[in-house]
Amino acid sequence: KLEEYIRTHQQIWPEMTEALNTQGIHNYTIWNNNDTVIGYYECESLQYADKVKQESEICKRWAEMMGGIMVLDAEPETNEIKSYQQIFGHK
C-alpha cells in the first residue's frame, strides 16, 4: 500500500503537524526503498515526545488510520516498535 502511504503523507492533517510540533519533533523525514519505509526525526526528549504522543487524540486517530496501510517492525512479545542503534552520524 505504498502509494496510499505516500498520498496520506502528502495530505497530512494540519492537526497532525501541530501534534508533532507539540511533541518537540522537527527535521522529520521519511524515505522508502520498495516496500520499506524509514522515518527519522530529531527531538529534545524522546521520552517527552512519546508521552505527548500517547496522550494525543489526533495521534491516536492517525495511528488507527495508518494501521490499515502499513505493518510496523515490532517486537512480537510487546508489539513495541524495534529501536535501532546509531552506528554513524555526521553533522
Side-chain angles (χ1 to χ4, degrees):
K1 298 186 176 182
L2 182 59
E3 288 180 19
E4 185 176 358
Y5 182 88
I6 292 169
R7 186 175 55 255
T8 302
H9 283 83
Q10 289 173 339
Q11 301 168 357
I12 192 168
W13 308 331
E15 303 91 341
M16 189 60 205
T17 58
E18 182 59 35
L20 294 171
N21 292 338
T22 301
Q23 293 174 67
I25 292 174
H26 57 278
N27 292 332
Y28 194 164
T29 54
I30 299 174
W31 297 273
N32 88 284
N33 183 346
N34 298 317
D35 287 337
T36 300
V37 294
I38 296 174
Y40 168 87
Y41 63 81
E42 298 173 3
C43 63
E44 289 294 318
S45 168
L46 186 56
Q47 292 77 18
Y48 176 78
D50 284 343
K51 178 183 179 297
V52 173
K53 178 181 176 183
Q54 295 301 321
E55 296 171 353
S56 169
E57 289 303 316
I58 195 72
C59 290
K60 290 175 187 174
R61 282 185 37 221
W62 183 265
E64 286 176 15
M65 180 185 64
M66 295 305 293
I69 298 174
M70 59 186 245
V71 176
L72 296 176
D73 187 13
E75 296 292 345
E77 303 84 27
T78 62
N79 204 33
E80 291 184 22
I81 297 172
K82 293 179 182 180
S83 61
Y84 293 83
Q85 178 182 355
Q86 180 178 344
I87 58 171
F88 176 78
H90 176 77
K91 295 184 183 210

